[in-house]
Amino acid sequence: MDTAPILGVPFVVRVKILCKLTAQEQLVLRQVCKTTREWIDTSSLLHHLPATVLKDNGNKTFTKFLQKRPPHVITELEIENQNCDFLHDPALAYFLHLHSSTITKLSMGRYFTCRIPEEINFYESFVNLKELMLHKISIPSHGEVSSVFPNIFKKLQVLKIGDVKAFPEPPDDSFGATLIPLNLQRPMGLYVWKLIKFCEEIEFLGYPNTAKYFFQAFVDGRGRGEFGMFCDYIQNRKLQHPNKPNLKFCDFLNDNWPPDSKNTLALLKMGNEFGLRYLNVNSNQFNFLSIGSLIKMYDLPKNSGDSILSFKNFNCLITEQLPAVEKICMSASDVNTMLDYSCVFDGPKIFPCLKEIEIVIDLGFNHNSQPQDIYMKAREFRDVRILLSHFFYDMELILLEKENEAVRFYRSVTNLTISFKHLLPNTQRKATPNDLPMEWILKALPLRRLRIDGWTAEPNSYLQLWQGCPNLEELIIKDCENLTDHCFIGNLTHGPGCQNLKSLRRITIEGANTICGLTERTFQMFQKDLGLQPSTFLNRCREMTAMTWST
Amino acid sequence: MALVRVISSDGAAFLVSQRLAKRSGKLKTEIETFRKSSDNSEAQPEIRIVTIRAEILRLVLQWLQQHQNDPVLPANQNEQDGRGDAEMGQSQWDRDFLAPMDLGIVMELILAANHLEVKGLLDITCKLVESKITGRTVDEIRTAFKLKSDFKGNEEEQTRLENRWCVEN
């Protein structure tokens, strides 16, 4: 061979060789010759590469991406499209040529039912696609509803659907039904089920939020509505495709079903019969009925509750032991102040295997909020505190008595996510540990992984937080605008933050606004004091929205 | 035992069992295509590999022979992020197999494993190349891979300065 053999290896082999090198090793290679420098500069051959997000720039979406960022290995792609214009980008074909075969996970802002050949060709090009997320299915409210699906959908293992809406969307959802002819509502509703049934190999279904106006008039022919369709699908799946793997997981994160104990019973029965596990089951589904009494009443096997893996909108009203539940989510917007919290909630006994807790503070302050709105929202914030105090029962009292003692009540919980959403930026109101009883939470959990999203706290609050998590192994900070060097380096009162983060093996900082508050001082601290290595290049920092440091 | 004749770019023929050959994704496809197009089900397939010379093809077949009873890994196993996992399949035999080879042969073996779609072999050879980069200086890498610096003027110094934030810490 005339040139050095290593320079002639195909792209896939090059990726295979380089992707396990550390940042330092990649940088050494960068100094060897122009070709190796180009390899490193034009590739994000990084550990744990995050999903590549493409913003919708109409028919320039891919052109702008390819101009701005050099080609690199993309395995997860998110396109935040609002219409089909991106399909007319002249750079689309080149983008697909470069990347479509490595992408296994695709997330689309909107799916337009493949009415035009370009859309179907687009999906068909992802030959190795395993997971598809459609944030919104936009079904045209005029003309015939298409029933053509890309063939690659048949091989999908995971299908997640967000909202299902008519297109164009009515200006106000609440009156939308009146704008869609009645004779179109049924085929539009059926479209989603045709799509789900077409994906005959899916093992994980993210159940859609079918907007109310869509399905109020829609029934399955036997008057049982949407839930009946769901039950039929589960029961027929094995019969229709006996050689294909059965559905194993159903995620109800987006479902919009009204509370109905009959539905709950049907879910438990099907879970038991078909080995189906449920994620993000709405706690309000149970409608004040005990799962245990439902199981007893209908003579179901005792372990029928094991089909539930996680709860959303958790409300502390569950009293029987559910050993299979691994995650619960409590959202501030779902706290029902009318609930009676007088009974004792013995969380560690009810969820002996709980691994993860998510707390979402999603109280929608916005720029137009009137003083009375803010007062009402602040009150709701207090309701969140009541719910949390119930979940972390008696923690407040215990902490008063044994102020400095760490009490690990939920011994199995190692993961905590706290998200602050829609808080008005740049106001005096800060989401600090005083708003949220961080001290109870941290003392009750032996945390190893913490994710904070959208926190606008002061440096001292961060330093207090690190003090409460001495065994933290992974930290993810996203969209926290006030994050600065002081949040890690510390001050006279709290000392260096790194002292409390000695167990850390991985830090990820996401969001351009979060990264820009940090300087090389912090990065050096990660490297020298915590022994973490950068997985991304600082000289590309301005273009980046995420950075990861790991051992 | 059904056999297949595999011919290298320089004309050397290797007679191997179809069972063994089918552990290569490329050979498997070729055998199946031959079966579909052939009227005689007893006919022996003949596959010409125009990009691989005899010495390298012999090494690939030797590796396949040694690993013929290993479970077949799907092509995308452990590669959701574009990476393989060489450690999973590397044995003492693999280490002894690769030890006497110079890097030129290893590079050819990588190309052959990639072309013939032999995932396990591709993993261990890539791992070997990666180990020749790990912990080496710039000059050591140049020597090992027979690479020459083609930087002009102060380009090399400029590159070193760009790397300083990470390399010198």
PDB file of all heavy atoms in Angstrom, chain A residues 51-83:
ATOM      1  N   ALA A  51     -27.925  12.856  22.011  1.00  0.00           N
ATOM      2  CA  ALA A  51     -28.718  12.908  20.783  1.00  0.00           C
ATOM      3  C   ALA A  51     -28.407  14.192  20.027  1.00  0.00           C
ATOM      4  O   ALA A  51     -28.167  15.239  20.618  1.00  0.00           O
ATOM      5  CB  ALA A  51     -30.188  12.849  21.123  1.00  0.00           C
ATOM      6  N   THR A  52     -28.387  14.105  18.725  1.00  0.00           N
ATOM      7  CA  THR A  52     -28.170  15.284  17.901  1.00  0.00           C
ATOM      8  C   THR A  52     -29.527  15.917  17.612  1.00  0.00           C
ATOM      9  O   THR A  52     -30.418  15.262  17.092  1.00  0.00           O
ATOM     10  CB  THR A  52     -27.488  14.865  16.585  1.00  0.00           C
ATOM     11  OG1 THR A  52     -26.267  14.233  16.918  1.00  0.00           O
ATOM     12  CG2 THR A  52     -27.229  16.052  15.693  1.00  0.00           C
ATOM     13  N   VAL A  53     -29.645  17.168  17.991  1.00  0.00           N
ATOM     14  CA  VAL A  53     -30.943  17.842  17.819  1.00  0.00           C
ATOM     15  C   VAL A  53     -30.853  18.793  16.631  1.00  0.00           C
ATOM     16  O   VAL A  53     -29.969  19.639  16.568  1.00  0.00           O
ATOM     17  CB  VAL A  53     -31.311  18.639  19.089  1.00  0.00           C
ATOM     18  CG1 VAL A  53     -32.669  19.300  18.919  1.00  0.00           C
ATOM     19  CG2 VAL A  53     -31.297  17.734  20.304  1.00  0.00           C
ATOM     20  N   LEU A  54     -31.760  18.650  15.693  1.00  0.00           N
ATOM     21  CA  LEU A  54     -31.802  19.561  14.554  1.00  0.00           C
ATOM     22  C   LEU A  54     -33.007  20.481  14.711  1.00  0.00           C
ATOM     23  O   LEU A  54     -34.146  20.012  14.814  1.00  0.00           O
ATOM     24  CB  LEU A  54     -31.945  18.789  13.241  1.00  0.00           C
ATOM     25  CG  LEU A  54     -30.790  17.899  12.826  1.00  0.00           C
ATOM     26  CD1 LEU A  54     -30.952  17.473  11.380  1.00  0.00           C
ATOM     27  CD2 LEU A  54     -29.475  18.605  12.974  1.00  0.00           C
ATOM     28  N   LYS A  55     -32.736  21.770  14.758  1.00  0.00           N
ATOM     29  CA  LYS A  55     -33.836  22.733  14.855  1.00  0.00           C
ATOM     30  C   LYS A  55     -34.480  22.873  13.484  1.00  0.00           C
ATOM     31  O   LYS A  55     -33.818  22.723  12.460  1.00  0.00           O
ATOM     32  CB  LYS A  55     -33.300  24.077  15.329  1.00  0.00           C
ATOM     33  CG  LYS A  55     -32.824  24.034  16.754  1.00  0.00           C
ATOM     34  CD  LYS A  55     -33.124  25.352  17.456  1.00  0.00           C
ATOM     35  CE  LYS A  55     -33.148  25.213  18.960  1.00  0.00           C
ATOM     36  NZ  LYS A  55     -31.967  24.660  19.561  1.00  0.00           N
ATOM     37  N   ASP A  56     -35.767  23.162  13.481  1.00  0.00           N
ATOM     38  CA  ASP A  56     -36.479  23.262  12.221  1.00  0.00           C
ATOM     39  C   ASP A  56     -36.124  24.570  11.528  1.00  0.00           C
ATOM     40  O   ASP A  56     -36.469  25.651  11.995  1.00  0.00           O
ATOM     41  CB  ASP A  56     -37.987  23.188  12.489  1.00  0.00           C
ATOM     42  CG  ASP A  56     -38.776  23.086  11.200  1.00  0.00           C
ATOM     43  OD1 ASP A  56     -38.150  22.863  10.145  1.00  0.00           O
ATOM     44  OD2 ASP A  56     -40.002  23.226  11.250  1.00  0.00           O
ATOM     45  N   ASN A  57     -35.406  24.454  10.415  1.00  0.00           N
ATOM     46  CA  ASN A  57     -35.106  25.632   9.600  1.00  0.00           C
ATOM     47  C   ASN A  57     -35.724  25.470   8.215  1.00  0.00           C
ATOM     48  O   ASN A  57     -35.132  25.834   7.205  1.00  0.00           O
ATOM     49  CB  ASN A  57     -33.595  25.807   9.472  1.00  0.00           C
ATOM     50  CG  ASN A  57     -33.004  26.416  10.730  1.00  0.00           C
ATOM     51  OD1 ASN A  57     -33.435  27.469  11.172  1.00  0.00           O
ATOM     52  ND2 ASN A  57     -32.041  25.743  11.326  1.00  0.00           N
ATOM     53  N   GLY A  58     -36.896  24.854   8.187  1.00  0.00           N
ATOM     54  CA  GLY A  58     -37.603  24.674   6.921  1.00  0.00           C
ATOM     55  C   GLY A  58     -36.738  23.943   5.917  1.00  0.00           C
ATOM     56  O   GLY A  58     -36.097  22.942   6.254  1.00  0.00           O
ATOM     57  N   ASN A  59     -36.703  24.463   4.688  1.00  0.00           N
ATOM     58  CA  ASN A  59     -35.953  23.741   3.658  1.00  0.00           C
ATOM     59  C   ASN A  59     -34.449  24.006   3.734  1.00  0.00           C
ATOM     60  O   ASN A  59     -33.714  23.721   2.802  1.00  0.00           O
ATOM     61  CB  ASN A  59     -36.500  24.056   2.259  1.00  0.00           C
ATOM     62  CG  ASN A  59     -36.372  25.516   1.926  1.00  0.00           C
ATOM     63  OD1 ASN A  59     -35.761  26.274   2.695  1.00  0.00           O
ATOM     64  ND2 ASN A  59     -36.927  25.934   0.810  1.00  0.00           N
ATOM     65  N   LYS A  60     -34.003  24.553   4.880  1.00  0.00           N
ATOM     66  CA  LYS A  60     -32.557  24.714   5.104  1.00  0.00           C
ATOM     67  C   LYS A  60     -32.105  23.917   6.332  1.00  0.00           C
ATOM     68  O   LYS A  60     -30.987  24.095   6.821  1.00  0.00           O
ATOM     69  CB  LYS A  60     -32.204  26.199   5.329  1.00  0.00           C
ATOM     70  CG  LYS A  60     -32.444  27.078   4.122  1.00  0.00           C
ATOM     71  CD  LYS A  60     -31.323  26.917   3.125  1.00  0.00           C
ATOM     72  CE  LYS A  60     -31.569  27.802   1.914  1.00  0.00           C
ATOM     73  NZ  LYS A  60     -31.015  27.221   0.697  1.00  0.00           N
ATOM     74  N   THR A  61     -32.986  23.085   6.867  1.00  0.00           N
ATOM     75  CA  THR A  61     -32.673  22.365   8.113  1.00  0.00           C
ATOM     76  C   THR A  61     -31.352  21.608   8.021  1.00  0.00           C
ATOM     77  O   THR A  61     -30.476  21.759   8.869  1.00  0.00           O
ATOM     78  CB  THR A  61     -33.814  21.380   8.445  1.00  0.00           C
ATOM     79  OG1 THR A  61     -35.016  22.130   8.554  1.00  0.00           O
ATOM     80  CG2 THR A  61     -33.566  20.648   9.758  1.00  0.00           C
ATOM     81  N   PHE A  62     -31.191  20.797   6.992  1.00  0.00           N
ATOM     82  CA  PHE A  62     -29.997  19.955   6.870  1.00  0.00           C
ATOM     83  C   PHE A  62     -28.832  20.741   6.288  1.00  0.00           C
ATOM     84  O   PHE A  62     -27.684  20.500   6.647  1.00  0.00           O
ATOM     85  CB  PHE A  62     -30.313  18.719   6.027  1.00  0.00           C
ATOM     86  CG  PHE A  62     -31.389  17.889   6.653  1.00  0.00           C
ATOM     87  CD1 PHE A  62     -32.710  18.003   6.248  1.00  0.00           C
ATOM     88  CD2 PHE A  62     -31.087  17.038   7.695  1.00  0.00           C
ATOM     89  CE1 PHE A  62     -33.707  17.270   6.849  1.00  0.00           C
ATOM     90  CE2 PHE A  62     -32.088  16.290   8.304  1.00  0.00           C
ATOM     91  CZ  PHE A  62     -33.400  16.413   7.880  1.00  0.00           C
ATOM     92  N   THR A  63     -29.135  21.689   5.400  1.00  0.00           N
ATOM     93  CA  THR A  63     -28.071  22.522   4.836  1.00  0.00           C
ATOM     94  C   THR A  63     -27.345  23.232   5.968  1.00  0.00           C
ATOM     95  O   THR A  63     -26.118  23.191   6.071  1.00  0.00           O
ATOM     96  CB  THR A  63     -28.667  23.570   3.873  1.00  0.00           C
ATOM     97  OG1 THR A  63     -29.489  22.888   2.938  1.00  0.00           O
ATOM     98  CG2 THR A  63     -27.591  24.335   3.145  1.00  0.00           C
ATOM     99  N   LYS A  64     -28.102  23.852   6.871  1.00  0.00           N
ATOM    100  CA  LYS A  64     -27.484  24.602   7.966  1.00  0.00           C
ATOM    101  C   LYS A  64     -26.724  23.682   8.896  1.00  0.00           C
ATOM    102  O   LYS A  64     -25.655  24.025   9.377  1.00  0.00           O
ATOM    103  CB  LYS A  64     -28.556  25.387   8.735  1.00  0.00           C
ATOM    104  CG  LYS A  64     -29.091  26.539   7.914  1.00  0.00           C
ATOM    105  CD  LYS A  64     -29.878  27.511   8.738  1.00  0.00           C
ATOM    106  CE  LYS A  64     -30.209  28.723   7.876  1.00  0.00           C
ATOM    107  NZ  LYS A  64     -31.078  29.675   8.526  1.00  0.00           N
ATOM    108  N   PHE A  65     -27.275  22.518   9.144  1.00  0.00           N
ATOM    109  CA  PHE A  65     -26.595  21.575  10.037  1.00  0.00           C
ATOM    110  C   PHE A  65     -25.253  21.144   9.440  1.00  0.00           C
ATOM    111  O   PHE A  65     -24.229  21.157  10.122  1.00  0.00           O
ATOM    112  CB  PHE A  65     -27.478  20.353  10.280  1.00  0.00           C
ATOM    113  CG  PHE A  65     -26.781  19.253  11.026  1.00  0.00           C
ATOM    114  CD1 PHE A  65     -26.572  19.367  12.392  1.00  0.00           C
ATOM    115  CD2 PHE A  65     -26.303  18.133  10.382  1.00  0.00           C
ATOM    116  CE1 PHE A  65     -25.910  18.382  13.094  1.00  0.00           C
ATOM    117  CE2 PHE A  65     -25.638  17.130  11.073  1.00  0.00           C
ATOM    118  CZ  PHE A  65     -25.450  17.259  12.430  1.00  0.00           C
ATOM    119  N   LEU A  66     -25.272  20.777   8.168  1.00  0.00           N
ATOM    120  CA  LEU A  66     -24.043  20.283   7.550  1.00  0.00           C
ATOM    121  C   LEU A  66     -23.015  21.394   7.383  1.00  0.00           C
ATOM    122  O   LEU A  66     -21.814  21.142   7.395  1.00  0.00           O
ATOM    123  CB  LEU A  66     -24.351  19.624   6.195  1.00  0.00           C
ATOM    124  CG  LEU A  66     -25.144  18.311   6.287  1.00  0.00           C
ATOM    125  CD1 LEU A  66     -25.533  17.814   4.913  1.00  0.00           C
ATOM    126  CD2 LEU A  66     -24.362  17.231   7.019  1.00  0.00           C
ATOM    127  N   GLN A  67     -23.493  22.636   7.214  1.00  0.00           N
ATOM    128  CA  GLN A  67     -22.552  23.759   7.110  1.00  0.00           C
ATOM    129  C   GLN A  67     -21.916  24.059   8.463  1.00  0.00           C
ATOM    130  O   GLN A  67     -20.720  24.277   8.578  1.00  0.00           O
ATOM    131  CB  GLN A  67     -23.277  25.011   6.609  1.00  0.00           C
ATOM    132  CG  GLN A  67     -23.493  25.004   5.113  1.00  0.00           C
ATOM    133  CD  GLN A  67     -24.413  26.121   4.674  1.00  0.00           C
ATOM    134  OE1 GLN A  67     -25.044  26.791   5.502  1.00  0.00           O
ATOM    135  NE2 GLN A  67     -24.513  26.311   3.377  1.00  0.00           N
ATOM    136  N   LYS A  68     -22.750  24.062   9.493  1.00  0.00           N
ATOM    137  CA  LYS A  68     -22.266  24.445  10.826  1.00  0.00           C
ATOM    138  C   LYS A  68     -21.421  23.374  11.473  1.00  0.00           C
ATOM    139  O   LYS A  68     -20.391  23.628  12.054  1.00  0.00           O
ATOM    140  CB  LYS A  68     -23.469  24.698  11.753  1.00  0.00           C
ATOM    141  CG  LYS A  68     -23.879  26.141  11.842  1.00  0.00           C
ATOM    142  CD  LYS A  68     -24.893  26.238  12.940  1.00  0.00           C
ATOM    143  CE  LYS A  68     -25.612  27.564  12.924  1.00  0.00           C
ATOM    144  NZ  LYS A  68     -26.737  27.564  13.838  1.00  0.00           N
ATOM    145  N   ARG A  69     -21.936  22.149  11.410  1.00  0.00           N
ATOM    146  CA  ARG A  69     -21.250  21.075  12.117  1.00  0.00           C
ATOM    147  C   ARG A  69     -20.748  20.053  11.128  1.00  0.00           C
ATOM    148  O   ARG A  69     -21.487  19.607  10.275  1.00  0.00           O
ATOM    149  CB  ARG A  69     -22.215  20.410  13.095  1.00  0.00           C
ATOM    150  CG  ARG A  69     -22.643  21.309  14.208  1.00  0.00           C
ATOM    151  CD  ARG A  69     -23.349  20.526  15.249  1.00  0.00           C
ATOM    152  NE  ARG A  69     -22.470  19.509  15.807  1.00  0.00           N
ATOM    153  CZ  ARG A  69     -22.731  18.883  16.942  1.00  0.00           C
ATOM    154  NH1 ARG A  69     -23.808  19.176  17.595  1.00  0.00           N
ATOM    155  NH2 ARG A  69     -21.910  17.973  17.402  1.00  0.00           N
ATOM    156  N   PRO A  70     -19.533  19.660  11.254  1.00  0.00           N
ATOM    157  CA  PRO A  70     -19.011  18.643  10.350  1.00  0.00           C
ATOM    158  C   PRO A  70     -19.696  17.298  10.613  1.00  0.00           C
ATOM    159  O   PRO A  70     -20.239  17.087  11.697  1.00  0.00           O
ATOM    160  CB  PRO A  70     -17.532  18.591  10.703  1.00  0.00           C
ATOM    161  CG  PRO A  70     -17.444  19.133  12.071  1.00  0.00           C
ATOM    162  CD  PRO A  70     -18.572  20.079  12.257  1.00  0.00           C
ATOM    163  N   PRO A  71     -19.622  16.414   9.633  1.00  0.00           N
ATOM    164  CA  PRO A  71     -20.275  15.120   9.829  1.00  0.00           C
ATOM    165  C   PRO A  71     -19.652  14.341  10.991  1.00  0.00           C
ATOM    166  O   PRO A  71     -18.446  14.383  11.168  1.00  0.00           O
ATOM    167  CB  PRO A  71     -20.001  14.387   8.506  1.00  0.00           C
ATOM    168  CG  PRO A  71     -19.564  15.418   7.557  1.00  0.00           C
ATOM    169  CD  PRO A  71     -18.981  16.525   8.344  1.00  0.00           C
ATOM    170  N   HIS A  72     -20.429  13.700  11.755  1.00  0.00           N
ATOM    171  CA  HIS A  72     -19.935  12.823  12.809  1.00  0.00           C
ATOM    172  C   HIS A  72     -20.929  11.691  12.995  1.00  0.00           C
ATOM    173  O   HIS A  72     -21.982  11.686  12.376  1.00  0.00           O
ATOM    174  CB  HIS A  72     -19.731  13.599  14.113  1.00  0.00           C
ATOM    175  CG  HIS A  72     -20.996  14.180  14.652  1.00  0.00           C
ATOM    176  ND1 HIS A  72     -21.481  15.377  14.222  1.00  0.00           N
ATOM    177  CD2 HIS A  72     -21.881  13.716  15.560  1.00  0.00           C
ATOM    178  CE1 HIS A  72     -22.605  15.639  14.870  1.00  0.00           C
ATOM    179  NE2 HIS A  72     -22.863  14.645  15.675  1.00  0.00           N
ATOM    180  N   VAL A  73     -20.570  10.755  13.830  1.00  0.00           N
ATOM    181  CA  VAL A  73     -21.437   9.593  14.008  1.00  0.00           C
ATOM    182  C   VAL A  73     -22.698  10.007  14.761  1.00  0.00           C
ATOM    183  O   VAL A  73     -22.620  10.486  15.888  1.00  0.00           O
ATOM    184  CB  VAL A  73     -20.714   8.488  14.804  1.00  0.00           C
ATOM    185  CG1 VAL A  73     -21.623   7.278  14.956  1.00  0.00           C
ATOM    186  CG2 VAL A  73     -19.439   8.103  14.110  1.00  0.00           C
ATOM    187  N   ILE A  74     -23.820   9.838  14.147  1.00  0.00           N
ATOM    188  CA  ILE A  74     -25.080  10.155  14.816  1.00  0.00           C
ATOM    189  C   ILE A  74     -25.823   8.844  15.045  1.00  0.00           C
ATOM    190  O   ILE A  74     -26.043   8.083  14.112  1.00  0.00           O
ATOM    191  CB  ILE A  74     -25.950  11.093  13.954  1.00  0.00           C
ATOM    192  CG1 ILE A  74     -25.218  12.404  13.697  1.00  0.00           C
ATOM    193  CG2 ILE A  74     -27.282  11.365  14.629  1.00  0.00           C
ATOM    194  CD1 ILE A  74     -26.002  13.366  12.832  1.00  0.00           C
ATOM    195  N   THR A  75     -26.160   8.591  16.286  1.00  0.00           N
ATOM    196  CA  THR A  75     -26.938   7.385  16.562  1.00  0.00           C
ATOM    197  C   THR A  75     -28.349   7.732  17.014  1.00  0.00           C
ATOM    198  O   THR A  75     -29.251   6.938  16.879  1.00  0.00           O
ATOM    199  CB  THR A  75     -26.260   6.528  17.645  1.00  0.00           C
ATOM    200  OG1 THR A  75     -26.064   7.347  18.798  1.00  0.00           O
ATOM    201  CG2 THR A  75     -24.923   5.994  17.169  1.00  0.00           C
ATOM    202  N   GLU A  76     -28.504   8.931  17.581  1.00  0.00           N
ATOM    203  CA  GLU A  76     -29.833   9.379  18.006  1.00  0.00           C
ATOM    204  C   GLU A  76     -30.099  10.737  17.375  1.00  0.00           C
ATOM    205  O   GLU A  76     -29.280  11.649  17.494  1.00  0.00           O
ATOM    206  CB  GLU A  76     -29.882   9.552  19.524  1.00  0.00           C
ATOM    207  CG  GLU A  76     -29.773   8.254  20.279  1.00  0.00           C
ATOM    208  CD  GLU A  76     -29.865   8.501  21.784  1.00  0.00           C
ATOM    209  OE1 GLU A  76     -30.596   9.411  22.202  1.00  0.00           O
ATOM    210  OE2 GLU A  76     -29.180   7.791  22.503  1.00  0.00           O
ATOM    211  N   LEU A  77     -31.216  10.871  16.729  1.00  0.00           N
ATOM    212  CA  LEU A  77     -31.506  12.123  16.033  1.00  0.00           C
ATOM    213  C   LEU A  77     -32.873  12.658  16.455  1.00  0.00           C
ATOM    214  O   LEU A  77     -33.846  11.905  16.524  1.00  0.00           O
ATOM    215  CB  LEU A  77     -31.507  11.872  14.517  1.00  0.00           C
ATOM    216  CG  LEU A  77     -31.879  13.054  13.627  1.00  0.00           C
ATOM    217  CD1 LEU A  77     -30.818  14.152  13.711  1.00  0.00           C
ATOM    218  CD2 LEU A  77     -32.037  12.617  12.171  1.00  0.00           C
ATOM    219  N   GLU A  78     -32.893  13.950  16.785  1.00  0.00           N
ATOM    220  CA  GLU A  78     -34.177  14.607  17.074  1.00  0.00           C
ATOM    221  C   GLU A  78     -34.367  15.721  16.062  1.00  0.00           C
ATOM    222  O   GLU A  78     -33.492  16.577  15.909  1.00  0.00           O
ATOM    223  CB  GLU A  78     -34.143  15.250  18.460  1.00  0.00           C
ATOM    224  CG  GLU A  78     -34.219  14.265  19.596  1.00  0.00           C
ATOM    225  CD  GLU A  78     -34.160  14.981  20.948  1.00  0.00           C
ATOM    226  OE1 GLU A  78     -34.796  16.052  21.088  1.00  0.00           O
ATOM    227  OE2 GLU A  78     -33.447  14.487  21.813  1.00  0.00           O
ATOM    228  N   ILE A  79     -35.480  15.732  15.383  1.00  0.00           N
ATOM    229  CA  ILE A  79     -35.779  16.821  14.456  1.00  0.00           C
ATOM    230  C   ILE A  79     -37.012  17.543  14.989  1.00  0.00           C
ATOM    231  O   ILE A  79     -38.079  16.943  15.145  1.00  0.00           O
ATOM    232  CB  ILE A  79     -36.021  16.294  13.029  1.00  0.00           C
ATOM    233  CG1 ILE A  79     -34.774  15.551  12.548  1.00  0.00           C
ATOM    234  CG2 ILE A  79     -36.355  17.433  12.080  1.00  0.00           C
ATOM    235  CD1 ILE A  79     -34.854  15.023  11.138  1.00  0.00           C
ATOM    236  N   GLU A  80     -36.839  18.821  15.286  1.00  0.00           N
ATOM    237  CA  GLU A  80     -37.941  19.570  15.907  1.00  0.00           C
ATOM    238  C   GLU A  80     -38.786  20.225  14.826  1.00  0.00           C
ATOM    239  O   GLU A  80     -38.985  21.437  14.823  1.00  0.00           O
ATOM    240  CB  GLU A  80     -37.356  20.622  16.855  1.00  0.00           C
ATOM    241  CG  GLU A  80     -36.566  20.008  18.002  1.00  0.00           C
ATOM    242  CD  GLU A  80     -35.839  21.047  18.847  1.00  0.00           C
ATOM    243  OE1 GLU A  80     -35.583  22.152  18.350  1.00  0.00           O
ATOM    244  OE2 GLU A  80     -35.535  20.723  20.003  1.00  0.00           O
ATOM    245  N   ASN A  81     -39.269  19.424  13.900  1.00  0.00           N
ATOM    246  CA  ASN A  81     -40.000  20.018  12.767  1.00  0.00           C
ATOM    247  C   ASN A  81     -41.438  20.382  13.133  1.00  0.00           C
ATOM    248  O   ASN A  81     -42.086  19.727  13.956  1.00  0.00           O
ATOM    249  CB  ASN A  81     -40.011  19.035  11.596  1.00  0.00           C
ATOM    250  CG  ASN A  81     -40.816  17.795  11.895  1.00  0.00           C
ATOM    251  OD1 ASN A  81     -40.607  17.162  12.912  1.00  0.00           O
ATOM    252  ND2 ASN A  81     -41.743  17.459  11.033  1.00  0.00           N
ATOM    253  N   GLN A  82     -41.912  21.437  12.520  1.00  0.00           N
ATOM    254  CA  GLN A  82     -43.294  21.857  12.712  1.00  0.00           C
ATOM    255  C   GLN A  82     -44.130  21.618  11.452  1.00  0.00           C
ATOM    256  O   GLN A  82     -45.344  21.737  11.465  1.00  0.00           O
ATOM    257  CB  GLN A  82     -43.353  23.351  13.074  1.00  0.00           C
ATOM    258  CG  GLN A  82     -42.746  23.676  14.425  1.00  0.00           C
ATOM    259  CD  GLN A  82     -43.380  22.896  15.563  1.00  0.00           C
ATOM    260  OE1 GLN A  82     -44.601  22.833  15.665  1.00  0.00           O
ATOM    261  NE2 GLN A  82     -42.567  22.272  16.394  1.00  0.00           N
ATOM    262  N   ASN A  83     -43.447  21.358  10.352  1.00  0.00           N
ATOM    263  CA  ASN A  83     -44.156  21.084   9.097  1.00  0.00           C
ATOM    264  C   ASN A  83     -43.268  20.161   8.249  1.00  0.00           C
ATOM    265  O   ASN A  83     -42.292  19.612   8.751  1.00  0.00           O
ATOM    266  CB  ASN A  83     -44.462  22.387   8.353  1.00  0.00           C
ATOM    267  CG  ASN A  83     -43.226  23.264   8.261  1.00  0.00           C
ATOM    268  OD1 ASN A  83     -42.149  22.780   7.932  1.00  0.00           O
ATOM    269  ND2 ASN A  83     -43.374  24.533   8.583  1.00  0.00           N
TER     270      ASN A  83
END
